[in-house]
Amino acid sequence: MTACVAEEPIKKIAIFGGTHGNELTGVFLVTHWLKNGAEIQREGLEVKPFITNPRAVEKCARYIDCDLNRAFNLENLSKEMSEDLPYEVRRAQEINHLFGPKNSDNSYDVVFDLHNTTSNMGCTLILEDSKNDFLIQMFHYIKTSLAPLPCYVYLIEHPSLKYATTRSIAKYPVGIEVGPQPQGVLRADILDQMRRMVKHALDFIHHFNKGKEFPPCAIEVYKIMEKVDYPRNESGEVAAVIHPNLQDQDWKPLHPGDPVFVSLDGKTMTLGGDCTVYPVFVNEAAYYEKKEAFAKTTKLTLNAKSIRSTLH
C-alpha cells in the first residue's frame, strides 16, 4: 500500500491575465471571465479572474517600468510604498496585499498565471517545485485530459536562477504558457488551448475537493540547465541569429555539433558540450532584452505520491 498524501482542500483560486500586457490570450480570457465567469466557477470554490498589469494592457506593452513577472522578491514586496517606486513594484505590492502575503497561510491557494510566447512551445505548464505532489498530480491530469494534444512541463527550479514570479505569492503557483503567438495578436487556436488548460485544471481541483483520490503518477518534465545568449560583437549588439534548423524546434533534441546560430556572412555556430539538450523559448521576442536566445533543458521524470483531500 503506497502512502497517500492528505492535502488541505483548495478554497481560493486566482486567474491572472495581463502580467505582460501584450500577451493577449490571458488578457482576453480574463476580461471575458470578469464579465461572465460561469465557465470558471466550481462548487465550493472562490475563483477570481484578475488583470495584473492594467497600465501595460492599456498600452499593449510587456510592462511600463520593469517586468512584473520578476518583481515578486521579498526585497520589492517589503519596500516602503512610494510614488518613486517603479510602477510594477508598486503593483507587485498591491497584488501581494490582495492575494498574498507571499509565504503566508493567508495567501491564495492557487494562482494560474496566463502567458503567451512567440516561441513554438505549444501548451506549456511551468512548475517551480519538483517535490510538489499536488502540482505534479494536477499537471498529470491536465496533460492526460489534453491528449493527444501535447502539453509540456517546464521545471524552472534552479540554484542560481531566481524568477520571483507573479504567481509565486500562491501556495501552488501555476504558469500557463501557450504559443506561438505574436505579441499584441490573438489566435483562435491558442485561445482555445489555453481555455482548455484552465478548464482541466479547475476540474482537477473540483474532483480533489470532492474527495477523489489520485493514484501515484509520473510526468516527464524539462528542467532548466542554463540560458544561452546570442553571439554579440564588441559593442554588445547581436551578431548572429537563430539558425533555421533550430527555429521553431522547441522541446526537440539538440545534439552537440548541431547548428544553433548563423551570422550575416554565413558563419554557422554549433552547440558545444557533450550532452543532448532540449531547447525552450527559442527566439522569444521578449527575451532579446534579457539576453536569452533560448534556454537549455534536460529531460527527466518526476513522480508524485497518491493524494486526496483531508476533508474525506
Side-chain angles (χ1 to χ4, degrees):
M1 182 77 183
T2 50
C4 182
V5 181
E7 306 268 8
E8 291 287 319
I10 301 299
K11 296 189 177 77
K12 293 190 296 184
I13 298 171
I15 305 175
F16 288 172
T19 294
H20 297 132
N22 56 5
E23 296 176 7
L24 293 194
T25 305
V27 173
F28 200 71
L29 284 172
V30 166
T31 303
H32 169 70
W33 290 330
L34 283 164
K35 295 179 188 135
N36 178 7
E39 73 180 273
I40 58 168
Q41 298 309 322
R42 298 292 184 276
E43 184 191 341
L45 278 176
E46 177 191 326
V47 184
K48 187 175 176 64
F50 187 77
I51 295 289
T52 34
N53 197 336
R55 279 178 59 185
V57 168
E58 198 177 310
K59 283 191 154 45
C60 196
R62 183 174 173 85
Y63 55 76
I64 301 300
D65 293 327
C66 62
D67 192 336
L68 181 63
N69 207 35
R70 306 289 186 275
F72 283 75
N73 55 42
L74 296 178
E75 181 194 350
N76 277 340
L77 297 179
S78 60
K79 281 178 177 163
E80 190 170 340
M81 184 62 104
S82 126
E83 285 300 312
D84 298 333
L85 289 177
Y87 168 69
E88 277 80 7
V89 172
R90 282 181 278 138
R91 190 65 182 155
Q93 292 189 358
E94 290 165 7
I95 291 166
N96 189 52
H97 177 71
L98 288 169
F99 298 97
K102 184 171 177 171
N103 299 333
S104 81
D105 290 339
N106 296 324
S107 66
Y108 266 58
D109 297 308
V110 181
V111 167
F112 297 109
D113 195 14
L114 309 183
H115 289 268
N116 292 119
T117 172
T118 63
S119 304
N120 188 28
M121 302 266 286
C123 296
T124 302
L125 292 160
I126 301 181
L127 180 65
E128 302 193 10
D129 177 4
S130 63
K131 295 184 173 57
N132 193 309
D133 291 301
F134 181 81
L135 286 178
I136 294 169
Q137 286 279 5
M138 181 197 291
F139 288 12
H140 179 264
Y141 181 92
I142 296 168
K143 280 168 66 71
T144 306
S145 302
L146 285 171
L149 182 70
C151 180
Y152 304 92
V153 178
Y154 183 32
L155 175 61
I156 60 169
E157 199 173 57
H158 192 280
S160 59
L161 298 171
K162 302 292 181 220
Y163 286 87
T165 57
T166 312
R167 61 188 171 269
S168 67
I169 54 174
K171 298 181 181 82
Y172 300 113
V174 179
I176 294 181
E177 186 90 50
V178 191
Q181 180 168 281
Q183 296 171 343
V185 168
L186 282 161
R187 281 180 51 158
D189 56 342
I190 301 292
L191 189 75
D192 176 64
Q193 287 166 22
M194 185 178 283
R195 196 175 194 172
R196 286 164 63 195
M197 291 171 82
V198 172
K199 175 204 178 300
H200 295 316
L202 292 171
D203 288 347
F204 169 83
I205 293 168
H206 176 73
H207 294 319
F208 170 77
N209 277 358
K210 287 287 186 192
K212 179 178 167 66
E213 183 171 325
F214 292 88
C217 71
I219 56 169
E220 186 177 79
V221 305
Y222 295 79
K223 182 179 182 179
I224 186 162
M225 298 162 66
E226 63 175 321
K227 298 175 179 180
V228 179
D229 191 11
Y230 296 90
R232 294 179 184 270
N233 62 21
E234 302 76 37
S235 313
E237 298 159 329
V238 170
V241 298
I242 293 287
H243 193 280
N245 289 19
L246 176 57
Q247 182 62 48
D248 298 328
Q249 298 303 302
D250 301 77
W251 313 112
K252 305 284 191 341
L254 186 64
H255 308 289
D258 284 350
V260 175
F261 299 106
V262 60
S263 65
L264 282 179
D265 58 11
K267 184 183 171 206
T268 293
M269 282 135 266
T270 59
L271 183 71
D274 56 5
C275 66
T276 297
V277 298
Y278 299 85
V280 297
F281 285 112
V282 176
N283 208 10
E284 161 58 49
Y287 289 176
Y288 277 71
E289 68 173 33
K290 297 187 193 300
K291 300 195 156 126
E292 181 183 338
F294 64 95
K296 291 181 190 172
T297 71
T298 183
K299 191 156 55 164
L300 48 100
T301 299
L302 296 182
N303 294 285
K305 296 186 180 80
S306 170
I307 65 163
R308 62 177 174 78
S309 159
T310 52
L311 275 187
H312 295 270

